[in-house]
Each structure stands twice: as C-alpha cells, then as structure tokens.
Amino acid sequence: AMDAVLTWQAEGYDSHLSGGLAEDFLRAEPGPPPPVVAGRKEVEEILEFSHEICRDASEEFCSLDLIARRIEDFKHRARAAYFQAYVPESLPQLVSPYVRLELLRWDPLRPAQRQSPGSGDPGAREKPLESMGWHRALARYGRPGRGGEKGKPDPDASLLGVLVDKLALPRLRFLVQECWDPTSEPQSRVLRRAVSEAAAAAPDGSEALTEVILLVKNGLHASLEGCSVPLWPDRVAGLVPGCRGFVAHAVKRAAGAFAGALLFDGLLDRPTITKLAVQGIFCGKLLPYLRTLTRSDPESLARILCRLCGSVPTAWRQSGMEELKPLLDFACDCRRNWQGNEKMAGVSGELGKLLQSMGRGA
C-alpha cells in the first residue's frame, strides 16, 4: 500500500484529499502535470514558423479556399483540359500541405489551457473535423450541383474522403496511440466524436479507419489493468498517509473507463463493449470494492452508483438494459437496503430517478 501511494504521489497527482470517499470521489481533481513530451519545443517552433510560410506569397495562394475556387473555376471553364492535365489525380497532393498544416494544430485530447506562441486560434486543438478550414473549403468540391456532367460520377467527389483517409486518420491514429487516456471520460467522448466524423467521410473499406478502431479497442483492453481498486483493510487507511485519496482516485479512474467504454457503442460491437465495461470493469474491478461499502460507507457507495448510472448513454438506456443488468441489479438491491434510512433519503432518491429512467423502478 505504501509503495503504491508513494508512486501515485510522485506522479504529481493531488494527494491532499482530506474528506471522506464521497468528497474525494466527487472532487475536481487536476491530475498530474502534463508530461514533458520529447520534441515539444520543436513542435511549438514549427507552429510559430507556420504563420510565416506564405508571408511572401500572393494572397490567392495563401488560402486553400481561394485555391479551391480557382481550380474549380478552371474545371468549369475548360473541363476537357482539366481532365487532360490529370488535375483530379494531382489534387490531393496539391492541397495536402494546407491540410497537414492545419492538422498539425489539431489535438482534441489536449485542450489548450492558454494560447501559446504559434498556436493561432486557442480553440484550434478542439475543433471538430467538419469545422476545420480545409474541410469547409473542400466539402462540396466535385459534388453534384457543382458543374459536373449529369449522370456521370465526378472523380473529384472522392477528394475529401482521400484526404481524411491519408491525412486525418493517421493523425487520429497517433492521438489514440500516444495521447488518449481510456480512463478519462471527457477524452473518450472527444475521441468518439472525432472517430465518428472521420468514419463518415472516409472511403468504404478504409484500412486507416479499421486500424484506428482496432487501436481504440486495444486501448480499452489495456486500460483494464489500470482500473484496479485496492481492497485494503480500514486500518491500512489510517496508517498510510494519502491512502484514502489513492483509493478515491482509483475508483474515479475505473468509473471513467466504464463510462468511456460505453461511448464507443456503434464503433465497436455491443458484445465487446459489454465484456469490457460491464464484465471487465464493473464486475471485475469495481463491484468487489463497492460491496465493502454497503455497511461501512453507504453514502459514498450511493454517490458512486449515481455516477455510474448517470454516465450510461442514451443508446444504452434504449436498448442495452439487459447488458447492464449486473449494475442495475446491484443498485436496486442497495436502494432496498436503504429504505427507512433518513440519512440516505436524498442520495437514494437521486439514484432512484436514474434507475427509473432506465426502467428499473421508482
């Protein structure tokens, strides 16, 4: 226990948690300081220099939107020459520097706390793909109603899909591999949105998309090891400083991993998510510890159950109640045990409303 707590404190987590488990669990924890990433200084220098790349170029060549309009105008005026010059085949390579430059700043899993030198728009890290400049400039390029021949497929219609497949998905693959913490529900929510947007634009049979989804699945599997909640006796908590904070942090990580895994329903098949989130995290990691709280700390238990039930997405509430049966059964049993306990009336009522929204009693 001492070794585990000392390692946790050395990693920079907030070890000065003084309340009971309920307060510690609900406390907004800042987490460890951002790690020093190798090459971060070089990346910031590149971002700063990126604003100077087109400084000496004509304005019409600095904006991808203007370039796309210019090329599309050429296509409309001289369609035969446009295809004889192999413009559709060359277009992805032509526009890719502009796309890469904007994607370099795209890091949704590491939201900018402040505007750093060269970062440009402080919200650029968190932008959805569809709101990025290159996506808006090229979203309608080559699509029906843009001057193409009726009845004939336009080879330019696949431009956006090619760019997503060759540029955006590799960037997303890096973020999943190197930056994503599967025990962080906010990160999982952002990642789920980004992967869904990329999947909607990627071409059918995209190997890059398949690889990203596989990495997500592997990341969720790997997170199981970090979701363990220690079953230390109460006397250990009194002897080891920071022990209660360590346990609260472990519970928060497991609850975050549970909630995050449920979010990937639709990208991963339901049986895989059920095995990971319900059987692996809840039944395997959380439930043994939660059972110890039924008598010793029912208020903390209720708060944790509210957190778990409240994190269940709408899609699961509509069609996933059978898969979530272990969680719902345990929560209902706890509520029955708290009947007549005035101290538990408030939080038990809150849990009851959540269970009722999932069809499990008032």
Side-chain angles (χ1 to χ4, degrees), residues 71-129:
I71 297 175
E72 198 163 24
D73 181 61
F74 168 53
K75 177 180 178 180
H76 294 162
R77 289 187 292 102
R79 187 174 181 83
Y82 178 87
F83 286 101
Q84 288 173 2
Y86 297 99
V87 175
E89 292 80 4
S90 306
L91 203 51
Q93 198 167 9
L94 176 65
V95 302
S96 65
Y98 299 90
V99 180
R100 289 180 187 275
L101 196 59
E102 191 170 2
L103 286 175
L104 190 62
R105 301 183 182 89
W106 185 55
D107 191 354
L109 300 183
R110 194 175 69 91
Q113 300 300 321
R114 59 182 177 82
Q115 189 169 353
S116 57
S119 63
D121 177 6
R125 298 185 191 278
E126 305 171 71
K127 277 187 176 180
L129 277 177

Side-chain angles (χ1 to χ4, degrees), residues 210-253:
T210 301
E211 186 176 355
V212 168
I213 293 176
L214 180 60
L215 286 172
V216 169
K217 181 178 178 180
N218 291 342
L220 292 172
H221 275 289
S223 72
L224 286 175
E225 185 177 350
C227 291
S228 297
V229 181
L231 298 174
W232 295 329
D234 289 340
R235 64 178 180 273
V236 173
L239 294 174
V240 180
C243 182
R244 295 185 187 278
F246 178 88
V247 173
H249 175 73
V251 174
K252 290 174 72 172
R253 284 178 61 85

Side-chain angles (χ1 to χ4, degrees), residues 144-317:
R146 304 286 286 188
E149 295 182 4
K150 292 183 178 181
K152 291 185 178 181
D154 193 322
D156 288 330
S158 63
L159 174 61
L160 194 64
V162 169
L163 294 173
V164 168
D165 189 53
K166 301 300 183 183
L167 301 178
L169 281 169
R171 174 65 174 163
L172 203 50
R173 179 183 62 204
F174 170 80
L175 294 176
V176 173
Q177 276 186 304
E178 304 296 336
C179 306
W180 176 44
D181 178 7
T183 66
S184 168
E185 182 186 0
Q187 282 197 13
S188 294
R189 189 175 301 278
V190 171
L191 179 62
R192 174 62 167 88
R193 182 184 68 184
V195 175
S196 297
E197 290 174 347
D204 294 337
S206 168
E207 293 183 4
L209 176 61
T210 301
E211 186 176 355
V212 168
I213 293 176
L214 180 60
L215 286 172
V216 169
K217 181 178 178 180
N218 291 342
L220 292 172
H221 275 289
S223 72
L224 286 175
E225 185 177 350
C227 291
S228 297
V229 181
L231 298 174
W232 295 329
D234 289 340
R235 64 178 180 273
V236 173
L239 294 174
V240 180
C243 182
R244 295 185 187 278
F246 178 88
V247 173
H249 175 73
V251 174
K252 290 174 72 172
R253 284 178 61 85
F258 172 83
L262 295 182
L263 292 171
F264 289 96
D265 185 38
L267 285 177
L268 302 177
D269 60 273
R270 181 69 65 85
T272 295
I273 299 178
T274 301
K275 184 177 180 180
L276 278 166
V278 181
Q279 299 173 17
I281 299 173
F282 178 73
C283 294
K285 306 295 184 179
L286 278 169
L287 188 55
Y289 174 74
L290 296 181
R291 291 189 189 281
T292 69
L293 300 178
T294 53
R295 291 183 180 275
S296 65
D297 196 349
E299 182 182 356
S300 295
L301 174 59
R303 294 293 181 189
I304 295 169
L305 289 175
C306 285
R307 167 77 170 84
L308 294 172
C309 293
S311 67
V312 174
T314 303
W316 286 81
R317 295 172 186 267

